[in-house]
Amino acid sequence: MTVLFVPHANDAAGVSRTRRLFVDLKKRAVPVATNDIIILDEVNLAAILSRRLVDEHAWFSRGQIDVEQFNNTIAGNASALCSIGTLYDVIRRILSKALAQTSEERAELKDAASVRLPEPRIDYYYRRTVAYFEGLARANARLGEYLEGGAASGIAQLARSSEERNVLVRPVGQQVYANAIAAIASAGGMDAALDLARQLPFDLAAPPYADVIWDTRRQTMRGKGLGLATRLLKHMFGFGEEDSERLRQEYGLSVGRPRARLPDSIVRAQS
């Protein structure tokens, strides 16, 4: 049996070096599990940003993120907003299309999962990530109250109650919004997309979420529907697909009303 001894310094530079070594070795032997990437990877930008938010930012470091869980579900009575796995997934979804503002930045991010960016660039994308969540908090006052108040505030449970059903206090809701805002930001910029988001409904019992990602009969989240909900949000933003009849048919099938109309566009509603 071959045994390798690796010297380790228990400071910031030493921890970073050991993490990189561990992940590099695992990448060349057995594929690294997503859980390990989130916890240890010192190259993958989404992992670095996820850990930094949980370590440094008051909105994420006071129990708002469940650091013991990695799946994309959370109990209705949980005090956390989501797992660190969901946070990582959201950041990964918005990186190249919402956080990047120029073609040069989008090119820079193509290798951001395999090549560590310089520290000033990591700092830049950290600020952009914070700006994204600040925009969500402005769009959804209840989410802002929760992020400010922390897990002990009890706001998460209230926002998930049958009276509120707030979409952005659910992991799937965070993913749907990340998908839609990323797609729209690629054309009009993140700030414009987040401003439009203020006009969207946040009640899961309302279109486009009802009977797509929310089961109105059982009053529970649905395991499927993330993709359809994303496409419906893009339609409401005015960035819908060309074949709107196909989208309408899929929506009608999901809600159990074949003749159901697509949700109204918020762009038309504003004009």
Side-chain angles (χ1 to χ4, degrees), residues 2 23 34 69 84 127 131 137 145 158 179 192 209 230:
T2 301
V23 173
T34 301
Q69 300 295 324
I84 192 170
R127 292 191 297 271
E145 288 177 15
L158 178 62
N179 282 344
Y209 322 112
T230 297

Side-chain angles (χ1 to χ4, degrees), residues 53-81:
L53 286 174
V54 171
D55 288 341
E56 299 180 9
H57 201 287
W59 281 10
F60 303 92
S61 60
R62 292 174 294 127
Q64 296 97 325
I65 304 299
D66 187 337
V67 296
E68 302 294 331
Q69 300 295 324
F70 296 89
N71 56 37
N72 288 323
T73 60
I74 199 160
N77 62 355
S79 60
L81 174 67

Side-chain angles (χ1 to χ4, degrees), residues 218-235:
R218 297 180 180 177
Q219 297 288 292
T220 57
M221 299 300 295
R222 299 179 69 170
K224 299 179 181 179
L226 190 152
L228 177 58
T230 297
R231 292 160 61 202
L232 290 168
L233 281 187
K234 288 169 63 178
H235 161 78

Side-chain angles (χ1 to χ4, degrees), residues 180-197:
I181 290 174
I184 297 154
S186 64
M190 184 177 76
D191 293 340
L194 288 167
D195 283 341
L196 282 175

Side-chain angles (χ1 to χ4, degrees), residues 195-262:
D195 283 341
L196 282 175
R198 299 185 188 195
Q199 307 300 319
L200 289 169
F202 294 108
D203 185 349
L204 282 165
Y209 322 112
D211 293 316
V212 177
I213 59 174
W214 175 254
D215 189 317
T216 55
R217 184 174 64 85
R218 297 180 180 177
Q219 297 288 292
T220 57
M221 299 300 295
R222 299 179 69 170
K224 299 179 181 179
L226 190 152
L228 177 58
T230 297
R231 292 160 61 202
L232 290 168
L233 281 187
K234 288 169 63 178
H235 161 78
M236 294 177 72
F237 273 122
F239 287 80
E241 53 204 66
E242 293 183 4
D243 190 356
S244 58
E245 177 58 22
R246 178 180 176 182
L247 178 61
R248 190 199 66 76
Q249 290 175 359
E250 291 184 37
Y251 177 58
L253 181 64
S254 181
V255 301
R257 300 192 309 275
R259 297 182 180 276
R261 295 175 53 229
L262 289 171

